[in-house]
Amino acid sequence: IVRGHGILQRDSKNYAIVGVGIQYHLGVVVDDAFFPLQMIFPKRTKGISAVPETSFNQMLIMPVGVFALEKQYDEQYVFVPLAFAQELLSAQGRVSSLEIKLRPGADVEEVRESIMAVVGKDCKVLNRDEQNQVQLKVLKTEKLIAYFILTVIILIASLNIFLCLTMLVIEKKYDIAIIKSYGGDAKFIFRIFMYEGFIMSLLGGFFGVILGLAVCFVQIKYQLARLGAETAILDAYPIKIEVFDVLIAFITILVITLLASIIPAVKASRVHIKDYL
């Protein structure tokens, strides 16, 4: 509520709360008895009356408050009491939908089944995700694209491990030949360099995940990254840490870096003793 009061009914009198966009476009004066809102809606009749004035329901209501959420709401919605809306729309005793807020810890599916048992199959009972399927799909697609972009970045970064191990193989060819002369086979040499790549990827992934979680916790606690919109529902970028996402990121790092270690490890295992001893 950016102006006036957030009440819809008091002392049996009805009041309206308008969006800031509607107030601007219609020039709504808040909490002034001389400037009420006039609501007009066609009557639910089969025929059309010859007198236009009798074909519409016309009701007056006093605007007492202005809300500001987001543009799509601010320019489209006016909140009024339910009984007032039903009378204006000639829909006494009817509602188009009913939203239910659950207590913390309540089982959504259990409540949903209980409601469906009461209202029957003629009514749709939708949870929050089902009510916002389009937005949910957009968010999932955005998340998937972000994952692929970060995977490409990790692929590029894994070249460092590949080059590091390759240089190590070139540098240690003489030592590899000595190990083979003492009975070390190709599999043993291969495992040595794979362990080297695994340790590098494990340390890098571990510290990377720790740093990422630290950034998330700082944002959650201090909200340093702001949205920059005065009328936004949230002031800062929202963050929710999902254990599954953290595991997927960590496993992706390990898999990519281990794959980058295979070629240098194979080259090391193919070093011949006679070439260096």
Side-chain angles (χ1 to χ4, degrees):
I1 303 298
V2 296
R3 194 172 295 110
H5 309 284
I7 58 173
L8 293 176
Q9 201 168 36
R10 184 171 59 188
D11 299 332
S12 300
K13 293 183 179 180
N14 297 320
Y15 299 102
I17 305 173
V18 302
V20 66
I22 291 179
Q23 184 206 21
Y24 172 77
H25 291 298
L26 298 184
V28 177
V29 180
V30 177
D31 208 8
D32 192 329
F34 293 100
F35 297 96
L37 284 177
Q38 184 179 24
M39 304 284 191
I40 302 174
F41 192 82
K43 292 183 178 179
R44 298 178 183 274
T45 55
K46 295 182 180 180
I48 299 176
S49 174
V51 183
E53 289 78 4
T54 61
S55 300
F56 296 89
N57 290 331
Q58 301 184 33
M59 300 177 65
L60 300 177
I61 190 169
M62 183 62 59
V64 294
V66 179
F67 70 87
L69 292 175
E70 292 181 349
K71 186 175 181 181
Q72 59 177 335
Y73 300 109
D74 300 344
E75 296 185 350
Q76 295 186 33
Y77 289 94
V78 175
F79 289 97
V80 297
L82 177 60
F84 178 89
Q86 288 174 332
E87 184 178 354
L88 177 67
L89 305 179
S90 300
Q92 283 79 1
R94 290 186 289 175
V95 293
S96 57
S97 63
L98 179 65
E99 294 187 6
I100 298 176
K101 181 178 180 180
L102 303 183
R103 295 174 180 173
D107 189 330
V108 176
E109 290 302 319
E110 183 178 344
V111 175
R112 177 179 178 175
E113 292 177 0
S114 300
I115 295 175
M116 291 181 66
V118 174
V119 300
K121 297 182 179 179
D122 295 334
C123 296
K124 294 182 179 179
V125 183
L126 308 177
N127 57 30
R128 179 180 295 180
D129 292 342
E130 292 172 340
Q131 294 177 46
N132 302 278
Q133 288 186 352
V134 176
Q135 292 90 334
L136 191 63
K137 288 181 180 178
V138 170
L139 290 175
K140 288 184 176 180
T141 303
E142 181 183 359
K143 183 177 179 180
L144 187 61
I145 292 174
Y147 172 76
F148 282 122
I149 293 174
L150 292 176
T151 301
V152 172
I153 294 174
I154 295 172
L155 282 171
I156 297 174
S158 65
L159 290 176
N160 289 329
I161 295 179
F162 172 79
L163 295 174
C164 181
L165 290 177
T166 301
M167 294 301 296
L168 187 63
V169 171
I170 296 173
E171 181 183 351
K172 298 295 183 180
K173 281 184 177 181
Y174 183 78
D175 299 322
I176 295 171
I178 293 176
I179 293 175
K180 283 193 171 183
S181 68
Y182 281 100
D185 58 2
K187 292 183 178 179
F188 179 73
I189 302 299
F190 179 83
R191 287 199 299 268
I192 289 176
F193 283 87
M194 285 301 295
Y195 288 153
E196 180 77 17
F198 176 75
I199 292 173
M200 293 172 66
S201 63
L202 186 65
L203 290 176
F206 176 76
F207 286 111
V209 169
I210 293 298
L211 180 60
L213 291 175
V215 172
C216 292
F217 281 119
V218 169
Q219 174 64 13
I220 293 173
K221 184 173 180 60
Y222 299 103
Q223 298 183 347
L224 299 179
R226 299 284 178 174
L227 291 172
E230 296 180 357
T231 60
I233 298 176
L234 299 174
D235 294 332
Y237 284 98
I239 289 181
K240 182 181 180 182
I241 299 175
E242 296 283 351
V243 177
F244 179 76
D245 294 340
V246 176
L247 290 176
I248 287 295
F250 188 73
I251 292 173
T252 301
I253 294 172
L254 289 181
V255 170
I256 292 176
T257 50
L258 285 176
L259 290 176
S261 306
I262 292 178
I263 296 178
V266 170
K267 288 183 177 180
S269 66
R270 291 178 179 176
V271 172
H272 297 290
I273 300 176
K274 61 180 181 180
D275 296 335
Y276 298 95
L277 294 178

